[in-house]
Amino acid sequence: MKVKGTPMRPIQPSADGQAVSIIDQTRLPHAFVLARLETLADAAEAIRAMLVRGAPLIGATAAYGVWLAMRADASDAALEGAIDTLAATRPTAINLRWALEDMRGTLAPLPSAGRAAAAFARAGAIADEDVAINHAIGRHGLAIIRDIAAGKNPGEPVNILTHCNAGWLATVDWGTATSPIYQAHDGGIPVQVWVDETRPRNQGAGLTAWELANHGVPHKVIVDNAGGHLMQNGMVDMVIVGTDRTTATGDVCNKIGTYLKALAARDNGVPFYVALPSPTIDWSLSDGRAIPIEERDAAEVTHVWGRTADGEVLPVRVTPEESSVANYGFDVTPARLVTGLITACRRMNDLGINQGSSGNASIRLPDGSGLLVTPSSLPYEAMQPADIVALDWDGMPTGPRRPSSEWRFHLDILKARPDAGAVLHTHSMFATTLACLGKSIPAFHYMVAVAGGADIRCSPYATFGTQELSAHAVAALEDRKACLLGNHGMICLEVTIEKALALAVEVETLAAQYWRALQIGEPLLLPEEEMARVLERFSRMRYGQSPD
């Protein structure tokens, strides 16, 4: 986005390459101030004191904080100390933990001499990935806004209510909840945004309104309790909010007050959407009540900051000095109140490795009681959290929908592979083409080892949904993380569904390369001893592996 005509991110490397430059969000909207982070302590304090805030931006700042730490001391002890220091700054936003685990997995296998450079590169990649994810969220949300606009009179705006700040200031660019709004506005769709002030800290009035004003998006700031009135009177077409953590079953933790907006939306038939980047999903939790809720400084409630008539920015007390205060930072909106999760997890179809309602996915329930699996014959674009089916280890389903017809191999694979937390099945073009030829993917390229062995096996054919197919899949996956299914497709398993998706993209790429090589001739295969060396190096590098 642009500030005063200049492209700007809320976090980026400094011009001299020796620090990180951030927008000090505690000074907005009354002053635009850049702060310089030079040390691990600077990064930790910036997160703790909310100079940077918003789950995605917290994660990116933590990643750069690890880089700052590695510049000073790249030892194993310093790496773990930096991760512990940053992890303690904010308990609720899952992106913080996600980014730190990602940095640990990247840096721990490396010698200390290479860690600072690798940390800088990975932090930059995390920031760039956030931009891409949020732009994709905007595309999904834009389709919803466009549909609402089509039912309105020409020139009549789509009225959108949002809570807190889930804009580009809370991310690295675009924002989550604001990304569809910006893309609609830029695309010529009239929009009018109701901006909740969002007490305490007033992130709506101070940050979201500042963003929208800079971008030229029509908006009005309202008090937090006005949303229900607007909905009752037909003045809100949709609600869209961000999230700091979302459970595997779709419970949404966001800024305090979000739950009340969801209740009002449900009572008035207003669609309530959550703009959800995939790193914000906590696959280890199935119940939002288990999310730790941050309790913050009482001064955020007892005082407000504002600019006086003579231009001074001062805090003013608004409560009696004798009154005690409770300041809960977040609440949880149950999945049943969420109209839809606008999420980059639908990237399986966007990436072209799946089509329509084919393919399916599952995750292991964190309490060990079974698994969650996608429902039968429902396109991902239409799928909602309530549609996901829970299965116990006997295959007994819970929920209003039938599980995927392939639930048997999801259940049997997760039973057989305690190292796996998620299973992904696709009908991708090239992997399926090879599967229809009954061909495994041999060691034509060293990256075949990413699936855990010297080849990617192809199982025999069996009818979909049968126990016979499940047995073939389990056998083909022995000591592997991916296989092809004869005349069918592919299966990938990993610790998380995001990593399973990343592996599926790798396997599809290898399948495409192998198929193209076969059009010219028979590819040269790497010898067994070379693949053994590759696998050993992958093991030492922890290539493609999740941190412990």
Side-chain angles (χ1 to χ4, degrees):
M1 294 295 164
K2 292 185 177 181
V3 178
K4 301 175 182 175
T6 302
M8 174 65 65
R9 287 181 173 183
I11 186 167
Q12 54 193 12
S14 60
D16 61 10
Q18 299 302 304
V20 179
S21 176
I22 62 167
I23 299 173
D24 181 350
Q25 298 187 34
T26 64
R27 305 292 297 276
L28 291 172
H30 306 299
F32 180 79
V33 176
L34 297 179
R36 183 177 170 94
L37 311 181
E38 297 182 340
T39 66
L40 167 65
D42 291 342
E45 181 59 20
I47 297 171
R48 186 181 297 109
M50 296 181 69
L51 277 70
V52 294
R53 24 73 50 209
L57 182 58
I58 288 171
T61 304
Y64 276 114
V66 174
W67 166 59
L68 294 171
M70 293 299 93
R71 290 177 59 222
D73 180 354
S75 66
D76 289 349
L79 174 60
E80 291 305 315
I83 289 171
D84 289 345
T85 296
L86 291 161
T89 55
R90 298 287 302 274
T92 301
I94 191 65
N95 296 62
L96 174 63
R97 189 178 77 192
W98 171 85
L100 292 174
E101 290 298 327
D102 188 291
M103 294 298 284
R104 175 189 278 130
T106 300
L107 302 179
L110 301 178
S112 58
R115 283 178 175 169
F120 182 78
R122 184 57 194 146
I126 286 173
D128 289 341
E129 288 165 9
D130 181 68
V131 177
I133 287 171
N134 294 332
H135 190 264
I137 287 172
R139 291 198 308 272
H140 287 295
L142 174 60
I144 295 170
I145 296 174
R146 186 180 287 121
D147 286 346
I148 294 173
K152 288 183 158 284
N153 295 323
E156 187 180 354
V158 176
N159 295 296
I160 304 168
L161 186 144
T162 189
H163 189 67
C164 195
N165 173 252
W168 67 266
L169 286 169
T171 64
V172 182
D173 208 348
W174 287 103
T176 55
T178 58
S179 184
I181 295 170
Y182 288 134
Q183 294 192 38
H185 173 77
D186 293 349
I189 299 174
V191 294
Q192 152 70 35
V193 184
W194 299 107
V195 180
D196 281 354
E197 62 178 347
T198 322
R199 282 270 292 152
R201 298 194 69 91
N202 289 353
Q203 293 105 318
L207 302 179
T208 300
W210 181 84
E211 276 192 36
L212 296 174
N214 270 277
H215 203 86
V217 178
H219 64 283
K220 292 181 180 178
V221 177
I222 57 173
V223 298
D224 286 350
N225 291 328
H229 168 76
L230 296 176
M231 293 184 217
Q232 281 182 328
N233 287 277
M235 301 168 73
V236 178
D237 296 307
M238 64 181 287
V239 180
I240 181 168
V241 300
T243 175
D244 288 83
R245 187 185 302 207
T246 297
T247 69
T249 49
D251 293 342
V252 174
C253 182
N254 194 48
K255 174 71 177 187
I256 194 78
T258 302
Y259 175 43
L260 296 179
K261 297 299 181 298
L263 288 171
R266 171 58 62 92
D267 191 52
N268 291 282
V270 175
F272 181 93
Y273 292 98
V274 177
L276 173 64
S278 51
T280 311
I281 302 173
D282 186 346
W283 296 104
S284 71
L285 292 181
S286 58
D287 187 341
R289 290 172 296 183
I291 296 173
I293 300 299
E294 184 176 352
E295 294 186 52
R296 297 190 53 79
D297 189 347
E300 294 180 350
V301 176
T302 60
H303 291 72
V304 294
W305 285 80
R307 188 167 59 192
T308 65
D310 60 6
E312 269 196 284
V313 178
L314 298 171
V316 178
R317 188 176 185 101
V318 294
T319 64
E321 291 191 11
E322 299 80 11
S323 296
S324 60
V325 166
N327 183 14
Y328 299 98
F330 303 87
D331 59 25
V332 175
T333 299
R336 61 184 171 81
L337 297 178
V338 180
T339 304
L341 299 175
I342 306 166
T343 172
C345 283
R346 291 171 178 165
R347 284 179 293 161
M348 188 157 68
N349 283 15
D350 290 344
L351 291 169
I353 63 170
N354 204 65
Q355 303 81 36
S357 60
S358 64
N360 31 75
S362 66
I363 62 168
R364 188 188 301 274
L365 282 169
D367 62 4
S369 62
L371 62 149
L372 299 174
V373 66
T374 49
S376 178
S377 303
L378 184 64
Y380 286 113
E381 289 76 11
M383 199 175 296
Q384 307 300 333
D387 296 317
I388 304 298
V389 181
L391 293 177
D392 65 21
W393 293 119
D394 294 322
M396 294 300 294
T398 301
R401 290 192 176 273
R402 292 181 294 110
S404 166
S405 58
E406 307 289 14
W407 65 267
R408 294 178 190 277
F409 68 60
H410 285 274
L411 184 146
D412 290 346
I413 290 168
L414 290 173
K415 273 186 175 180
R417 294 292 296 270
D419 58 312
V423 176
L424 188 74
H425 167 53
T426 82
H427 295 177
S428 59
M429 179 63 68
F430 290 99
T432 303
T433 298
L434 294 178
C436 290
L437 296 171
K439 283 185 172 290
S440 299
I441 303 178
F444 81 103
H445 191 290
Y446 75 89
M447 281 296 292
V448 167
V450 76
D455 63 356
I456 300 174
R457 305 182 186 112
C458 181
S459 74
Y461 174 77
T463 305
F464 73 92
T466 62
Q467 192 63 54
E468 182 183 11
L469 175 63
S470 181
H472 288 330
V474 171
L477 286 166
E478 185 176 356
D479 299 322
R480 299 287 192 274
K481 296 195 293 184
C483 73
L484 307 185
L485 292 177
N487 301 87
H488 192 145
M490 77 155 115
I491 297 176
C492 293
L493 58 89
E494 251 291 3
V495 176
T496 67
I497 198 69
E498 296 98 337
K499 290 183 180 294
L501 176 59
L503 178 58
V505 172
E506 292 267 17
V507 172
E508 176 64 3
T509 301
L510 289 164
Q513 292 166 343
Y514 182 49
W515 181 86
R516 287 184 167 93
L518 288 172
Q519 308 313 300
I520 301 171
E522 195 65 34
L524 295 174
L525 301 185
L526 297 173
E528 290 183 12
E529 56 270 24
E530 174 58 18
M531 288 304 291
R533 279 193 291 269
V534 170
L535 286 163
E536 192 273 333
R537 290 200 68 184
F538 272 21
S539 176
R540 278 193 287 114
M541 295 168 56
R542 297 176 61 82
Y543 192 96
Q545 297 181 37
S546 300
D548 296 330

